[in-house]
Amino acid sequence: QVQLVESGGGLVQAGGSLRLSCVASGGTFSSYSMGWFRQAPGKEREFVAGISYGGGRTYYAESVKGRCTISRDNAKNTVYLQMNSLKLEDTAVYFCAATIRNFGLGSRNGYAYWGQGTQVTVSS
C-alpha cells in the first residue's frame, strides 16, 4: 500500500509560482510512474502532468505546457510540480497519484494510489 502526501499549495497572485511536493511511503517509489491531477469546484479531475518511473519521460496537459515542470527524486521518494506564470484558471485542488503503468499516464484510470490533495488558489 502506497501513501501519498502532498504539500506546497497556497494562495498566490496571478503570474506567481509554486512548487508542489508529494512524498510517497509504503512502497518502492522507483517502481511507480507518477502523475499530478487537479480538480476545480464543479469540474472533473483532470490530468496536469506525468512522469515515468525512471524520470526519463514526462507528459503535460496542453493547458500547462511551458509553465509547469514535473520532476522526481527517487532517493527522496518525492515527486514535484513546479508551476510558473500561474493563472486564475489554475485554481484547484492538486492531487498526486501513483501507477505501476509506464504508459497512458494522462488518464486517471489505472492510478491505484492517490493523495489527499493540496489547495492552490490563484488571485488577481
Side-chain angles (χ1 to χ4, degrees):
Q1 188 79 3
V2 176
Q3 292 82 44
L4 302 172
V5 179
E6 303 96 335
S7 63
L11 176 64
V12 63
Q13 286 192 321
S17 299
L18 281 176
R19 187 175 83 153
L20 307 183
S21 300
C22 172
V23 178
S25 61
T28 303
F29 182 67
S30 58
S31 297
Y32 294 90
S33 296
M34 302 296 295
W36 283 98
F37 291 76
R38 67 186 182 187
Q39 188 166 17
K43 295 188 177 181
E44 290 193 358
R45 193 169 299 189
E46 64 176 4
F47 171 75
V48 177
I51 188 167
S52 60
Y53 60 82
R57 288 181 287 120
T58 57
Y59 308 87
Y60 297 93
E62 284 298 322
S63 59
V64 304
K65 198 172 289 185
R67 300 189 297 120
C68 291
T69 302
I70 188 171
S71 61
R72 65 189 297 160
D73 185 338
N74 285 349
K76 296 182 177 179
N77 290 357
T78 303
V79 62
Y80 304 97
L81 184 68
Q82 176 69 43
M83 302 189 295
N84 301 322
S85 302
L86 283 161
K87 304 177 180 180
L88 296 179
E89 53 263 41
D90 293 319
T91 295
V93 178
Y94 283 70
F95 300 88
C96 72
T99 177
I100 60 172
R101 299 183 312 174
N102 210 29
F103 60 91
L105 300 186
S107 171
R108 61 183 181 183
N109 297 325
Y111 283 88
Y113 305 103
W114 292 83
Q116 293 298 306
T118 185
Q119 177 71 47
V120 171
T121 303
V122 183
S123 64
S124 59

